[in-house]
Amino acid sequence: IEDDWPGEPSDQYWRQQLDQAEEELRQGSWSAAASRAGAAALRGSARARWLLARAADAEAEARRDNRLLTKAITSYLDVLKMNERLTDNRLLEVAQRTLDRIRFRGNYLSAEPVYRLLIRRFPDVAEYYNNLTVSFLMANRVDLADQVIKETLQKWPDDRFALAHHGFVLKTKHNRLEEAVDAFQKALEGDVGPATEPRFYYHLGDSLLLLGRYSEAQEVHKRGAALGHFLSPAQRSLYNVDRLKSQPWWNIEQTPYSNLARALEKSWKEILKEGETAKALYEQEKEGLKERGEWSQLDLFVRGQEVPNRCKRAPVTCGIVRAEAAAAGCRRGQVKFSAMEAGTHVRPHVGPTNCRLRMHLGLSNTKDTYIRVDQETRQWQVGKTLMFDDSFEHEVWHNGTGTRLVLIVDVWHPALSPAERRTLPPI
Ligand code: LMR
Ligand code: MN
């Protein structure tokens, strides 16, 4: 152990004090360990700092106190500031624990100095660059991630992990789809390596769809499904419960939602009026799904919660929805009006989860409008509901005239248990 702490006090007494603090910490006496290692004479000792940080960490864990955890993280970062005194192995040990606590705390930006230090000490390990990228993405700092990815690819132009993330940033941040496709294709070549994850196949296929390169997209979707990344080539949601029955179109009468459908159909005129009166509140669709046209929506329920003040505008609609807990409480879906102008084409796309089914109530101008789900295209009718699973690829055309209005009501997939409906993370 001694060689492990170069530059530490060689004094026998203090060394024994640190050994004893180590033993106390191991036995769970973090406060005893902390007061022993906190002696003024040990202020310059990296080993004492490491003990203090771990004692603070143990206390935070025992008390389940996030404020203490933040202090512990700061203490770990202080140890790392003395990195010149740390051997490679010790630095790795301290860095790993620090990063683990930072991730647990969810404070991803504070991982940067740790990774920068690791990169300086171990400049040939691409993993530290890549993990820094992930930290920035977790912190929602795509701009910073972008820079690290570029540094990484400068050093390792063929690094598949960096290439895949590069593709992701090019697609989702810069809408540079051709370049994104090239990056993804290199990252996933031969379907091997660290980037072979469902989401990268999803984004490669989706980029190809957005570019209108449909047959190439189809190949990627087949590959992804064969690898088990998608439920099937057509059903490409990424947040799935595996055992659920899968079919593109559903007969509402064969679900527990026929009462909901009947109630909506019975009140369609009032629902139409509510949807039309609130027109000023609609928001443009901005996910880039439409190839041309105009498409806007008005959310009433999102992730199983009423949007504040919305239901005042649509009391009949909301009343009907509230009567069906699987709709009002569907935390993996929405209830919304969807208004589409004539001439609109919505590109093929998939929803995020197979845990919901999507009911539509036709409200206005449904003539010459079409919705394809997987292989089968259907049409809306005013005052009538239809139901599909939007985790399957679907596409919409409005070739008619006037604003096509529909009410969209997502409901839990009928096969989900009450416990699953309560505990699945919202989407
Ligand atoms: C979709 O879910 O993409 C479409 O059903 C939306 C719409 O308004 O037709
Ligand atoms: Mn959709």
Side-chain angles (χ1 to χ4, degrees), residues 360-376:
H360 277 196
L361 172 68
L363 293 171
S364 72
N365 297 310
T366 55
K367 190 168 179 294
D368 293 325
T369 64
Y370 303 90
I371 174 164
R372 174 182 69 81
V373 183
D374 194 10
Q375 309 281 339
E376 192 183 334

Side-chain angles (χ1 to χ4, degrees), residues 2 8-20 36 42 47:
E2 268 53 54
E8 287 292 304
S10 47
D11 183 294
Q12 184 71 15
Y13 172 76
W14 289 115
R15 209 186 280 174
Q16 275 170 3
Q17 287 293 299
L18 289 170
D19 289 345
Q20 202 169 332
R36 201 177 299 279
L42 291 171
R47 190 184 172 198

Side-chain angles (χ1 to χ4, degrees), residues 7 54 73 112 142 148 184 193 200 224 241 252 280 305 329 341 414:
R54 281 178 296 155
I73 291 170
E112 180 176 17
V142 180
V148 181
F184 285 132
F200 293 129
V241 169
I252 297 174
Q305 304 268 348
E341 301 306 324

Side-chain angles (χ1 to χ4, degrees), residues 72-126:
I73 291 170
T74 308
S75 302
Y76 282 129
L77 292 169
D78 286 342
V79 180
L80 291 169
K81 284 188 190 131
M82 306 172 87
N83 62 82
E84 264 129 56
R85 306 266 210 87
L86 304 176
T87 62
D88 283 0
N89 281 337
R90 190 62 71 179
L91 174 66
L92 282 172
E93 186 186 6
V94 178
Q96 289 313 341
R97 184 63 191 169
T98 310
L99 290 168
D100 179 82
R101 296 294 80 195
I102 285 171
R103 277 193 290 266
F104 181 82
R105 184 76 183 89
N107 189 1
Y108 297 99
L109 283 182
S110 43
E112 180 176 17
V114 186
Y115 284 120
R116 290 292 177 197
L117 189 59
L118 288 167
I119 286 169
R120 234 182 304 136
R121 183 79 72 98
F122 309 101
D124 298 327
V125 183

Side-chain angles (χ1 to χ4, degrees), residues 193-213:
T196 53
E197 287 180 41
R199 63 196 173 114
F200 293 129
Y201 285 84
Y202 169 86
H203 283 294
L204 171 55
D206 195 46
S207 303
L208 290 164
L209 287 178
L210 288 166
L211 288 165
R213 290 159 65 176

Side-chain angles (χ1 to χ4, degrees), residues 137-153:
L137 289 174
M138 296 294 288
N140 250 320
R141 290 299 302 267
V142 180
D143 53 332
L144 298 175
D146 209 1
Q147 282 172 24
V148 181
I149 291 167
K150 283 178 187 138
E151 289 172 48
T152 315
L153 289 173

